[in-house]
Amino acid sequence: MLVTTSTRRITVARTVSELRAAVDAARSAGRSVGFVPTMGALHAGHATLVREAARQHGTVVISIFVNPTQFNDAGDLQNYPRTEQHDLLVAAEAGATIAFVPSVDEVYPHGFATVVSGGPITEQLEGAHRPGHFDGMATVVVRLLNLVRADVAYFGRKDAQQLAVVEQVVRDLAIGTRIQGVETVREPDGLAMSSRNVRLSADDRVRALALSRGLRAAQRVADGGEHSARTIESALRAELDGASLATDYATLVDAATFRPVDVLDRDCVLAVAATVGPVRLIDNVRLAPAAS
Ligand code: AMP
């Protein structure tokens, strides 16, 4: 199937064989292939990943698949926004040329039994709060990477721990696709773009700003030369508490292991997860020791 916009066209592949045929045709024409895996409900963050891929590759595959195995909460899976027609237009406009939009049975055919686990990183932060989430994510990403066989796959730093797990798995399993991180895309007021933001009420949308405001405050504290993790985290927590958010974690971790640190003495990630109304949001900022 082909979807056309005023300026672009995108081939929609719903089966593995349609995907293979479309990618093989691109390879035969000598084009390199970039890949952007998504769960749909596309926003400007996803479009940035696609544009980055299109800058570097003649063919860009986007997958749109709400992966049931990475949801640890049935309500979250059920309420996850699904906007396929909109997604195809956004993806095409951003430069995607193939959309892989499979059914659950196409991704997990009868008899599918393997689980990919990303090791110790998956036990920290999101892994501790969402049992099974990273196994489900890593399993579907490995399957998608093997189906698409792209040169480069693009992942957002908004999901920094996810990116670290994907890098680990791709390295360990010698998957031939290079993984490239892309900076977090934010609304003008700082809120990290997320497919879940559409479920925020106007009031909750304002309260949600505490995450990015807190991260910026903590960044300023770190840039001022503070090394104590607890002091840096306090600047973030003050904003979260001020907005009365239910916080799962607001923790400075080692950027390689995602283990909590006491001192900002290496590359770190300050990561936050908090629930705002009906929506659980995550955000993060990378912090390095201030130059002395
Ligand atoms: P999702 O559809 O939420 O699973 O996200 C698909 C990809 O888009 C993942 O690599 C995300 O990290 C990335 N992504 C989601 N939101 C943003 C954002 N605000 N900025 C950059 N990348 C993002």
Side-chain angles (χ1 to χ4, degrees):
M1 183 177 116
L2 202 61
V3 171
T4 51
T5 73
S6 52
T7 53
R8 312 266 191 157
R9 50 186 15 214
I10 187 165
T11 300
V12 181
R14 297 199 184 269
T15 64
V16 167
S17 57
E18 287 169 5
L19 172 71
R20 283 258 156 82
V23 173
D24 286 352
R27 290 288 187 197
S28 303
R31 290 196 287 272
S32 69
V33 177
F35 176 39
V36 180
T38 81
M39 297 206 299
L42 299 189
H43 51 65
H46 299 111
T48 299
L49 267 63
V50 172
R51 272 197 303 275
E52 183 62 24
R55 226 167 44 82
Q56 299 178 29
H57 306 281
T59 289
V60 175
V61 180
I62 184 169
S63 61
I64 298 172
F65 178 64
V66 182
N67 176 34
T69 68
Q70 72 187 72
F71 284 80
N72 54 310
D73 174 340
D76 189 25
L77 173 60
Q78 191 166 5
N79 291 323
Y80 202 83
R82 288 166 169 83
T83 59
E84 185 182 307
Q85 286 313 308
H86 158 88
D87 293 347
L88 293 175
L89 297 179
V90 171
E93 284 297 339
T97 48
I98 301 171
F100 182 44
V101 192
S103 66
V104 173
D105 288 345
E106 195 70 18
V107 175
Y108 299 111
H110 182 69
F112 188 100
T114 298
V115 176
V116 178
S117 173
I121 297 173
T122 67
E123 290 159 19
Q124 307 294 331
L125 303 182
E126 282 296 280
H129 285 87
R130 300 183 65 189
H133 165 67
F134 281 127
D135 286 0
M137 182 281 294
T139 304
V140 80
V141 166
V142 166
R143 182 155 164 82
L144 291 170
L145 289 174
N146 282 332
L147 290 175
V148 177
R149 293 194 220 123
D151 298 280
V152 183
Y154 298 79
F155 290 82
R157 294 196 190 282
K158 150 112 179 348
D159 301 281
Q161 192 177 4
Q162 167 174 284
L163 173 57
V165 172
V166 169
E167 285 172 336
Q168 173 92 52
V169 166
V170 164
R171 195 166 55 239
D172 291 353
L173 299 183
I175 294 171
T177 299
R178 188 166 68 76
I179 303 302
Q180 185 168 322
V182 177
E183 289 311 317
T184 302
V185 179
R186 297 179 180 281
E187 303 282 0
D189 60 12
L191 182 68
M193 290 192 179
S194 164
S195 301
R196 293 183 174 87
N197 290 353
V198 294
R199 298 183 53 222
L200 292 169
S201 68
D203 281 357
D204 288 339
R205 171 78 181 63
V206 173
R207 294 171 65 220
L209 289 175
L211 278 79
S212 54
R213 203 167 51 234
L215 290 172
R216 283 200 306 275
Q219 168 119 54
R220 280 194 297 275
V221 169
D223 288 349
E226 180 60 59
H227 285 88
S228 157
R230 301 297 90 83
T231 307
I232 293 166
E233 290 165 358
S234 300
L236 168 57
R237 280 190 181 275
E239 293 292 343
L240 301 170
D241 294 348
S244 304
L245 300 190
T247 302
D248 279 350
Y249 56 81
T251 309
L252 188 69
V253 296
D254 183 303
T257 64
F258 277 75
R259 279 218 197 82
V261 298
D262 292 326
V263 181
L264 176 58
D265 58 0
R266 67 199 96 163
D267 284 341
C268 284
V269 173
L270 179 60
V272 57
T275 301
V276 189
V279 187
R280 186 173 177 280
L281 297 174
I282 61 171
D283 200 351
N284 71 87
V285 65
R286 277 180 295 173
L287 297 179
S292 46

